[in-house]
């Protein structure tokens, strides 16, 4: 698996980009590698993690939380909440399927995620919040995967 932020060329693209992608690639011993799935996820999926059983992945999507504190950008969508995209992985083929909608949470610049051993809980490391008393302190968000 590999993630693609979908930023493309030019700085303005970081304001207008659509969803990023999680891409599944099948590797063959003879070198005939091919893309199995090219799945749209949230905006700017810099990272992802795979559950221990290999059946689930989650992308950590920055959305547009990297935008600075400038009055012109304050109303720009996606500045104060990151999202997660839960994905099923077919163990036989590597095919990817979206599970539900993106989950949004307050915070900017999510850094990484990890499933617990059961694959039912997820921890997400987040750089900090956009506002509030503890806005410059990093934190960990916890989520439970619900079927």
């Amino acid at each position: 698996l590999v993630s693609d932020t979908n930023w493309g060329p030019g700085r303005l693209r970081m304001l207008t980009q659509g969803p990023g992608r999680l891409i599944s690639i099948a590797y063959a011993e003879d070198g005939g590698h091919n893309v199995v799935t090219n799945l749209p996820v949230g905006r700017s999926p810099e990272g992802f993690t795979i559950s221990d059983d290999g059946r689930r992945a989650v992308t950590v999507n920055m959305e547009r939380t990297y935008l600075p504190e400038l009055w012109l950008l304050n109303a720009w969508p996606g500045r104060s909440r990151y999202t997660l995209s839960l994905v099923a992985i077919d163990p036989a083929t590597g095919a990817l399927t979206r599970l539900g909608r993106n989950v949004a949470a307050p915070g900017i610049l999510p850094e990484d995620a990890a499933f617990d051993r059961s694959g039912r809980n997820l921890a997400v490391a987040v750089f900090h919040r956009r506002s509030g008393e503890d806005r410059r302190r990093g934190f960990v968000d916890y989520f439970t995967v619900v079927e």
Side-chain angles (χ1 to χ4, degrees):
L1 299 182
V2 65
S3 62
D4 174 15
T5 59
N6 188 28
W7 284 3
R11 289 180 180 225
L12 194 54
R13 180 78 174 132
M14 292 173 60
L15 294 173
T16 61
Q17 89 280 17
R21 301 173 297 167
L22 188 62
I23 302 165
S24 175
I25 301 170
Y27 287 89
E29 289 185 30
D30 65 1
H33 315 312
N34 66 319
V35 173
V36 176
T37 309
N38 191 336
L39 185 71
V41 291
R43 285 188 186 96
S44 304
E46 276 202 322
F48 65 90
T49 189
I50 301 171
S51 62
D52 283 355
D53 66 6
R55 295 181 179 274
R56 302 271 190 273
V58 68
T59 61
V60 179
N61 311 311
M62 283 193 307
E63 297 297 328
R64 293 185 180 118
T65 62
Y66 48 77
L67 292 175
E69 293 287 332
L70 295 173
W71 70 270
L72 185 63
L73 298 175
N74 284 345
W76 208 267
R79 277 187 71 250
S80 61
R81 298 176 73 81
Y82 70 91
T83 64
L84 303 172
S85 301
L86 186 63
V87 175
I89 304 170
D90 183 314
T93 66
L96 306 175
T97 306
R98 283 288 301 269
L99 296 173
R101 295 186 208 154
N102 289 346
V103 172
I108 64 174
L109 303 175
E111 301 297 327
D112 205 356
F115 282 102
D116 71 349
R117 192 170 298 212
S118 74
R120 290 187 301 254
N121 299 292
L122 183 71
V124 179
V126 184
F127 188 63
H128 60 78
R129 296 190 192 282
R130 178 76 60 193
S131 61
E133 190 174 301
D134 291 337
R135 71 186 191 109
R136 294 293 181 203
R137 295 184 64 190
F139 60 96
V140 177
D141 267 342
Y142 296 94
F143 298 88
T144 299
V145 177
V146 178
E147 297 290 331

